[in-house]
Amino acid sequence: MHNSWIYLNGKLILGNEAGISPYDHGFLYGHGLFETMRVYKGRVFYFAEHVKRLHAGMKILGWPGCPSADELSKAIYQTLQRNDLQEATVRLTISRGTGASRPDPATCGSPTVIVFAAPIQPLGDDAYKRGWSLATVNICRNLTSPLCAVKAANYLDNIVAKSEAKDKGANEALLLNSMGQVAEGTMCNLFLVVEGRLITPDKKSGLLPGITRNIVLELAQQAEITTEERQVSPEELLGASEIFITSSLLEIMAVTTLDGRKVNQGRKGKMTAFLRRQYQKHIQEWLSIISV
């Protein structure tokens, strides 16, 4: 990984030879944004949507300028081509840039742009059949903070939450918000199935609206599945017939255990399986019409 080629501020360089200033505010204060993207057959899945979210985050943070979509696209595809990758993950990171050692973003110059890519390592059919376990953690999403809607480089809440979940023997954490309602995971959005209805916490619940989340909602609506975006209580999860999580890298993963309790008798549910098939079909359809 460290010997692969990365993009850093307009140049391709080996990862173990790259370096940023110690005064970069991404390093000093976590003042940065990132996007993790999935690459299928050399093409970045829903690139435009990822960049749109990135630019929205920059606006929320009050950045005076941002790299264009064309510039970021060129950086990503140069990195993929230099590393000869077709099936991969891409991490795009943009920090506020180098400035004074005090937390004053007005002292920063141009943003620091970094792209690195790695071969994808799929979990395999057995993992998707088995599903993941979730554990509710103590860290919660602060509904008063605009950063809930930002994919920020400051990831400490998520790291602490993930560590707590791991200590409880779970694959992933379930975060509630400051009102005690369900929000999301550290790296994923959550869906539940109740009496044939597909439910997911709404954007006011303190979650980062995922690209995959939006696709799943669209696919469900196309299949005439009743969908609801609203507040979800932890008690509702106990009565759900199915639970699953979504992200760009996981795609759709069944949750078969929640806080030590089995969901759907510890098996992937029918709607989860159906939507996963529809998602895979959608990827192939997207590939047939999109160009690099």
Side-chain angles (χ1 to χ4, degrees):
M1 179 68 179
H2 298 295
N3 289 325
S4 62
W5 292 88
I6 72 168
Y7 176 97
L8 174 60
N9 292 334
K11 297 180 180 179
L12 289 171
I13 187 171
L14 286 171
N16 58 2
E17 297 177 0
I20 63 171
S21 168
Y23 297 104
D24 190 289
H25 278 215
F27 169 74
L28 287 175
Y29 304 110
H31 191 171
L33 300 164
F34 76 97
E35 289 288 331
T36 302
M37 293 163 268
R38 180 66 162 89
V39 179
Y40 299 98
K41 296 184 179 179
R43 284 166 277 187
V44 181
F45 193 54
Y46 275 62
F47 170 75
E49 286 74 11
H50 281 282
V51 172
K52 182 179 179 180
R53 184 169 65 184
L54 187 75
H55 284 168
M58 292 177 180
K59 185 175 181 180
I60 290 172
L61 295 178
W63 290 18
C66 54
S68 69
D70 286 345
E71 179 182 345
L72 296 175
S73 177
K74 180 182 290 187
I76 289 170
Y77 281 107
Q78 284 179 350
T79 305
L80 289 169
Q81 290 165 7
R82 189 67 179 84
N83 289 288
D84 193 24
L85 292 172
Q86 290 289 309
E87 302 294 323
T89 65
V90 168
R91 160 84 181 223
L92 166 64
T93 306
I94 304 181
S95 86
R96 183 62 184 82
T98 301
S101 59
R102 61 185 184 277
D104 181 2
T107 65
C108 295
S110 299
T112 299
V113 180
I114 301 173
V115 178
F116 57 80
I120 188 70
Q121 297 178 342
L123 293 175
D125 292 339
D126 287 345
Y128 284 98
K129 183 178 180 180
R130 184 169 57 250
W132 271 21
S133 57
L134 295 188
T136 306
V137 296
N138 291 312
I139 291 286
C140 67
R141 291 292 187 232
N142 179 5
L143 290 177
T144 66
S145 173
L147 296 184
C148 288
V150 173
K151 201 169 179 68
N154 187 332
Y155 223 55
L156 287 178
D157 274 358
N158 297 58
I159 291 171
V160 172
K162 186 83 165 185
S163 296
E164 183 182 341
K166 290 288 187 181
D167 289 342
K168 293 180 176 180
N171 297 104
E172 171 63 306
L174 172 64
L175 288 89
L176 307 182
N177 61 37
S178 48
M179 294 298 291
Q181 303 294 313
V182 174
E184 59 182 348
T186 64
M187 50 167 279
C188 58
N189 293 126
L190 180 139
F191 288 81
L192 61 153
V193 180
V194 177
E195 297 179 348
R197 293 172 288 122
L198 184 64
I199 303 167
T200 190
D202 60 18
K203 296 177 183 178
K204 295 181 181 179
S205 296
L207 57 87
L208 179 75
I211 309 301
T212 308
R213 173 185 180 273
N214 294 339
I215 296 172
V216 168
L217 283 170
E218 291 175 3
L219 292 174
Q221 290 160 7
Q222 290 170 13
E224 298 184 346
I225 296 170
T226 300
T227 62
E228 298 179 12
E229 294 181 70
R230 59 171 175 80
Q231 291 187 342
V232 175
S233 70
E235 290 73 25
E236 283 187 89
L237 294 179
L238 298 178
S241 58
E242 300 178 43
I243 302 173
F244 63 85
I245 53 178
T246 61
S247 75
S248 292
L249 300 189
L250 275 179
E251 298 175 349
I252 298 175
M253 172 64 76
V255 174
T256 50
T257 306
L258 173 63
D259 292 329
R261 295 171 176 242
K262 289 185 178 180
V263 179
N264 192 37
Q265 300 180 326
R267 297 176 298 181
K268 178 171 61 177
K270 291 182 179 180
M271 188 178 295
T272 304
F274 170 76
L275 288 171
R276 178 163 172 77
R277 290 193 300 270
Q278 294 302 106
Y279 190 84
Q280 295 296 321
K281 181 180 177 183
H282 178 71
I283 292 169
Q284 297 307 313
E285 291 173 347
W286 180 87
L287 285 169
S288 69
I289 61 174
I290 202 72
S291 59
V292 176

